[in-house]
Amino acid sequence: MIHALLAKSILYDVALWFLMGALLVFFIVFFFRQRRQGKELKYELEQLDKLKENDVESEFVLRAMKLTTWHLNAKTMVISFDYDFRDKGKSVSPFNDGDDLNAVKNLLHPQDEARVHQALTDLCQGRTEEYHQEYRVMVPNSNLFNWEESFATVVERDVEGKPLRVVGTTMQIDHRKAMENALIEARNRAEESDRMKTAFIANISHEIRTPLNGIVGSANLLTDIGSEQERLELIGMINENSQKLLGLIDDVVSISKVESGQEPPTIADFDLNQLLADLVERFMSKMPAGVKLITQYACESLPMSTDYSRLSDIVRHLLSNAAKFTSQGSVTVGFDAPKNGWVDIWVQDTGKGIAPENQQRIFDRFFKVDEFVPGAGLGLSLCSMLVSSLGGRITVDSVVGQGSKFVVNLPVG
């Protein structure tokens, strides 16, 4: 009986120790598992914090670059937007979540919609790997368009390798396009200026050579001429060509002085009627045969306060230009009654006229409407500069075959 009880007690102790060992092993395994799960949880929390940090950084980058990010379902062709940081001003994005590709296409400029739609279709159907387009998109509630640039690529494919999802970015590029256009215009102006300078050198060389030939040729003949009458005629030719050469040089010098600001206007009081009368008297003998020089003054006397020399040069060039391009009819110089302290001084002719596309270009330096007509292409350019220096403006109204009217609008005082 005692042995039986003793054996039972031993079995009970063994079972107890086995249970305690099992519990100990369980707690040890549980402890290490919890520790491992804690490390995993800590790692996941760290990754989540990094993800949040990356998301904030990505949002910051998108905001700084004024980008929008979007996804396109390659099967349904439905677009969805994640962020939109484009600089839209008072306008809002014309695109909305859930729009299909056709809705997007209808908001594009007619010249861009087919090209952009085809590029996106090729990307979604796997014919291309990347997408990059510049296009114009309509501003809501207006007839205006913004320039945008988009990049996109496939980020998810099915088991057959066909595109499932496309991700893209878009940014507004109005400022860049404006800069590109400005650079193109500047380049075109530079090229045109270079071309016109080359033409100017050729023209000015010809214009200088012509009177110089007359001066040199006449001077060489003087020693061989015995007749006093012929000698006087040669001297007259020398004087005439000298005046032409001097006038040409004066124009070049005047342009350089006005442009550099070395010679500011000299304001003086004078009578406009007297200034015009003096010029008319000088030009009476220079009018082509069959062309009358007429005056039309709004009043008998008009006191003005401006630069006498510059105004005289302006009218002189306009009269010379009118006489050059008028073969019959008349050249009329005059002024209208002053209004609000401003007066219109004008020169009108019945000459060949100026085509509409050239009516602004004629004030450009070196530009000549007719390369076969003598002149260096500086007169009207100088007129425009002189008028601007006096605080006024010059305009032209012309009809081809009927004549031209140049109007100088200046302050009276």
Side-chain angles (χ1 to χ4, degrees), residues 259-382:
E259 194 172 52
S260 63
Q262 295 178 357
E263 190 177 277
T266 302
I267 306 302
D269 297 328
F270 58 89
D271 184 8
L272 178 60
N273 296 62
Q274 187 60 49
L275 181 148
L276 296 179
D278 292 342
L279 289 172
V280 168
E281 184 178 354
R282 287 167 54 187
F283 271 87
M284 277 293 185
S285 60
K286 298 181 181 180
M287 288 292 109
V291 178
K292 295 181 180 180
L293 181 56
I294 306 172
T295 59
Q296 289 185 9
Y297 304 151
C299 49
E300 294 183 358
S301 177
L302 178 60
M304 286 193 69
S305 182
T306 187
D307 191 309
Y308 181 94
S309 177
R310 294 193 179 186
L311 180 55
S312 178
D313 285 343
I314 292 167
V315 180
R316 175 173 62 83
H317 279 291
L318 293 179
L319 283 171
S320 176
N321 199 65
K324 188 186 303 181
F325 292 98
T326 305
S327 58
Q328 59 181 0
S330 63
V331 173
T332 307
V333 58
F335 63 88
D336 298 331
K339 293 181 181 179
N340 301 320
W342 291 76
V343 61
D344 284 343
I345 306 167
W346 45 267
V347 174
Q348 186 173 7
D349 63 65
T350 58
K352 60 195 305 184
I354 305 166
E357 63 270 16
N358 291 327
Q359 290 183 14
Q360 290 301 319
R361 297 189 64 197
I362 57 174
F363 296 107
D364 293 341
R365 196 178 306 175
F366 317 132
F367 180 77
K368 295 179 66 176
V369 175
D370 191 343
E371 295 292 339
F372 298 99
V373 176
L378 291 175
L380 291 178
S381 175
L382 178 58

Side-chain angles (χ1 to χ4, degrees), residues 104-352:
V104 173
K105 174 185 174 184
N106 292 334
L107 293 171
L108 301 181
H109 192 279
Q111 296 179 1
D112 302 328
E113 60 179 31
R115 169 173 51 83
V116 174
H117 184 272
Q118 186 61 49
L120 279 174
T121 302
D122 290 342
L123 181 67
C124 291
Q125 294 182 0
R127 289 193 290 268
T128 58
E129 295 296 324
E130 294 181 347
Y131 161 88
H132 174 215
Q133 292 291 324
E134 294 181 1
Y135 52 86
R136 288 154 291 184
V137 62
M138 184 184 298
V139 177
N141 305 317
S142 74
N143 294 323
L144 303 176
F145 289 87
N146 287 328
W147 273 99
E148 291 187 350
E149 182 178 24
S150 291
F151 296 85
T153 189
V154 177
V155 294
E156 186 179 350
R157 300 177 183 271
D158 60 16
V159 293
E160 298 178 355
K162 295 181 179 179
L164 289 177
R165 190 163 60 94
V166 171
V167 65
T169 61
T170 299
M171 68 185 302
Q172 236 174 277
I173 57 171
D174 290 312
H175 294 300
R176 193 180 82 193
K177 281 295 182 180
M179 290 178 62
E180 289 178 359
N181 291 333
L183 288 173
I184 291 172
E185 291 177 3
R187 182 198 64 190
N188 292 339
R189 287 196 299 269
E191 291 176 349
E192 180 66 10
S193 177
D194 185 64
R195 186 194 68 80
M196 295 184 72
K197 284 179 180 179
T198 302
F200 166 72
I201 292 174
N203 290 336
I204 203 75
S205 300
H206 174 73
E207 295 300 321
I208 291 175
R209 188 185 300 113
T210 301
L212 274 179
N213 288 338
I215 294 170
V216 173
S218 299
N220 289 334
L221 291 174
L222 280 176
T223 57
D224 300 328
I225 297 298
S227 169
E228 185 66 21
Q229 180 65 30
E230 293 180 354
R231 184 172 297 176
L232 290 176
E233 290 178 359
L234 288 175
I235 293 174
M237 292 177 61
I238 292 174
N239 289 333
E240 181 182 353
N241 284 292
S242 298
Q243 291 300 317
K244 289 181 179 179
L245 185 59
L246 182 61
L248 183 62
I249 295 173
D250 283 343
D251 288 346
V252 175
V253 172
S254 297
I255 284 181
S256 62
K257 285 184 176 180
V258 174
E259 194 172 52
S260 63
Q262 295 178 357
E263 190 177 277
T266 302
I267 306 302
D269 297 328
F270 58 89
D271 184 8
L272 178 60
N273 296 62
Q274 187 60 49
L275 181 148
L276 296 179
D278 292 342
L279 289 172
V280 168
E281 184 178 354
R282 287 167 54 187
F283 271 87
M284 277 293 185
S285 60
K286 298 181 181 180
M287 288 292 109
V291 178
K292 295 181 180 180
L293 181 56
I294 306 172
T295 59
Q296 289 185 9
Y297 304 151
C299 49
E300 294 183 358
S301 177
L302 178 60
M304 286 193 69
S305 182
T306 187
D307 191 309
Y308 181 94
S309 177
R310 294 193 179 186
L311 180 55
S312 178
D313 285 343
I314 292 167
V315 180
R316 175 173 62 83
H317 279 291
L318 293 179
L319 283 171
S320 176
N321 199 65
K324 188 186 303 181
F325 292 98
T326 305
S327 58
Q328 59 181 0
S330 63
V331 173
T332 307
V333 58
F335 63 88
D336 298 331
K339 293 181 181 179
N340 301 320
W342 291 76
V343 61
D344 284 343
I345 306 167
W346 45 267
V347 174
Q348 186 173 7
D349 63 65
T350 58
K352 60 195 305 184

Side-chain angles (χ1 to χ4, degrees), residues 25-39:
V25 171
F26 173 76
F27 280 118
I28 291 173
V29 172
F30 179 77
F31 173 75
F32 281 104
R33 180 175 294 179
Q34 287 294 102
R35 186 177 179 183
R36 186 179 64 185
Q37 290 179 348
K39 289 182 178 179

